Amino acid sequence: MIMILYQTDSANPDFQYLIQFLDAALAVHNGEKNAFFEQFNTIDMIRYCIVAYIDEVPAACGAFKPLTDDTVEIKRMYTDPAFRKRGLASAIVKELENWAKQQGFKKAVLETSQELTHAISVYEKSGFYRIPNYGQYRGVETSVCYEKAL
């Protein structure tokens, strides 16, 4: 197995290909609340995206967006089910952190669903810790938010 992490942007066709599956999975997961979350998950003009390839096949992705002058938000994390349990999500999180740090950012935050326990596990193992829900996620009972100093 050869894994390559490729830095790109949201115009990348492989990133867009993987995001289709993420959006479909989230639509099922979020149900009637999907429109609320969907508005915060557009991918137009994301400058910092990672696509993980396994043997040249796009297998996972993630991205970050600047949130403030010193903080980024980790977004659009997804691993194709055929490639799960191989450490791809952890590798992408680490790559996103390093890239954000290189760009001068000091902190990363993220939001996920309290029901997505595998995602939470990846973030906690990566050193993220739970914080009060921020921004548009304040008061959203199904959301949990995390932070990490870069």
Side-chain angles (χ1 to χ4, degrees), residues 54-69:
I54 298 293
D55 298 329
E56 300 183 19
V57 176
C61 64
F64 72 80
K65 287 182 172 180
L67 195 61
T68 67
D69 287 345

Side-chain angles (χ1 to χ4, degrees), residues 22 61-63 74-79 89-90 92-93 96 122-123:
L22 170 61
C61 64
I74 305 282
K75 306 283 295 172
R76 315 284 39 213
M77 291 290 299
Y78 177 75
T79 302
S90 295
I92 289 172
V93 169
L96 289 169
V122 167
Y123 300 134

Side-chain angles (χ1 to χ4, degrees), residues 99-150:
W99 197 6
K101 194 174 179 178
Q102 290 169 3
Q103 300 302 311
F105 294 99
K106 306 287 184 226
K107 184 170 62 173
V109 298
L110 60 89
E111 177 275 342
T112 191
S113 168
Q114 65 185 5
E115 296 172 2
L116 296 179
T117 55
H118 294 297
I120 290 169
S121 174
V122 167
Y123 300 134
E124 289 180 350
K125 280 192 257 177
S126 298
F128 282 80
Y129 58 91
R130 182 114 182 244
I131 59 169
N133 288 8
Y134 60 86
Q136 65 266 25
Y137 305 112
R138 282 190 189 100
V140 179
E141 293 177 12
T142 57
S143 289
V144 289
C145 294
Y146 284 83
E147 175 178 298
K148 180 179 180 180
L150 301 174

Side-chain angles (χ1 to χ4, degrees), residues 20-35:
Q20 292 177 81
F21 297 105
L22 170 61
D23 287 342
L26 288 175
V28 171
H29 176 80
N30 293 330
E32 63 188 32
K33 297 177 187 157
N34 195 55

